[in-house]
Amino acid sequence: MAKKLTNEEVEKLHKMYLEGKTCEEIGKLTGHKTETVSKYLKSNYNIIPRKKVDIDKLAELVKSGKTTKECAEYFSVRPSAISF
């Protein structure tokens, strides 16, 4: 059975998330699984973790004529997460 994170550890995850890091990045930096980071952010802060959109790739997709919806599908995010 996995060890429960302390309040201090959960606060650290939250701070990193607020600084703009993704759950994957936080997991790599803290040694936790991405799913663990996501679970704690959701259960303690009601945060549905975001995915990072590669701005250079987004610009490339837009220049090639892709729509917002198509770009969102490429990154597996909602269209509202795409802005350019």
Side-chain angles (χ1 to χ4, degrees), residues 10-76:
V10 174
E11 288 173 12
K12 181 179 178 182
L13 301 180
H14 186 232
K15 182 179 180 214
M16 294 172 85
Y17 183 81
L18 293 177
E19 291 172 349
K21 291 181 176 45
T22 64
C23 290
E24 183 178 359
E25 291 168 328
I26 295 168
K28 286 179 182 175
L29 291 168
T30 62
H32 299 296
K33 292 182 180 179
T34 302
E35 296 80 11
T36 300
V37 174
S38 177
K39 177 183 88 173
Y40 275 93
L41 289 175
K42 186 174 182 180
S43 66
N44 288 279
Y45 299 99
N46 202 28
I47 292 174
I48 299 173
R50 62 182 169 260
K51 295 182 180 180
K52 196 166 222 171
V53 173
D54 180 332
I55 299 300
D56 294 330
K57 183 61 180 177
L58 176 59
E60 180 184 314
L61 293 170
V62 171
K63 285 179 185 176
S64 72
K66 299 292 184 194
T67 66
T68 300
K69 183 179 177 185
E70 290 169 324
C71 292
E73 288 172 356
Y74 178 86
F75 290 108
S76 299

